[in-house]
Structure formats: structure tokens, C-alpha cells
């Protein structure tokens, strides 16, 4: 997996509903009934919403990992 430069931090907005804060974390997930093996979906999260978004995905068994936005790669998303 090759890493690509992360976009400007100012351009990364939290995915939580109604939140416009800067994202610092990436919640990486996959729904195995919808997505092929190797597919990785990403929700961006600010420090305040990372637990909420991670919990939502974890309850469904879809969570792959939580990483810093600076660790996102070309294969993510």
C-alpha cells in the first residue's frame, strides 16, 4: 500500500452529522455483505466525535482500524 500525501489538514472535515470541525482521525471500515474483500471505506473524525463514529461502526462488526489522517493511503476510501 503506497502512501500519498495527506490533503491539507484544513480541508479535512469530520464526517459526523452537523460537525464542521477539523478531522484528525480516520475510521476505516468495510461492510462484508456490500463491499468486496480489500475495499476500505473511511469516515473522517474530529477528536470529539471519533468515539461516537467508531462505536457506531464497531457495533455492526465493520471496523477495520482507526488511524491518524496523516496515515491515510491511496487504497483508503
Amino acid at each position: 500500500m503506497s502512501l500519498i500525501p495527506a490533503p491539507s489538514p484544513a480541508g479535512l472535515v469530520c464526517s459526523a452529522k452537523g460537525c464542521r470541525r477539523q478531522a484528525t482521525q480516520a475510521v476505516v471500515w468495510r461492510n462484508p455483505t456490500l463491499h468486496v474483500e480489500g475495499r476500505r471505506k473511511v469516515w473522517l473524525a474530529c477528536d470529539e466525535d471519533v468515539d461516537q463514529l467508531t462505536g457506531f461502526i464497531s457495533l455492526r462488526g465493520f471496523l477495520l482500524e482507526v488511524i491518524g489522517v496523516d496515515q491515510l493511503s491511496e487504497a483508503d476510501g
Side-chain angles (χ1 to χ4, degrees):
M1 174 177 2
S2 64
L3 294 179
I4 59 171
S8 166
L12 299 176
V13 178
C14 180
S15 298
K17 186 175 181 175
C19 184
R20 303 306 305 159
R21 289 184 287 261
Q22 180 177 330
T24 58
Q25 304 287 319
V27 179
V28 184
W29 61 280
R30 179 178 68 88
N31 179 340
T33 61
L34 299 177
H35 305 120
V36 296
E37 185 69 32
R39 176 75 192 264
R40 294 165 57 93
K41 303 287 288 179
V42 176
W43 283 352
L44 298 175
C46 66
D47 291 336
E48 291 83 358
D49 291 320
V50 69
D51 290 339
Q52 173 195 352
L53 294 173
T54 301
F56 183 85
I57 292 298
S58 290
L59 279 173
R60 288 148 182 82
F62 300 163
L63 184 65
L64 297 176
E65 64 182 336
V66 178
I67 58 175
V69 293
D70 59 335
Q71 296 176 302
L72 287 172
S73 73
E74 195 172 296
D76 294 316

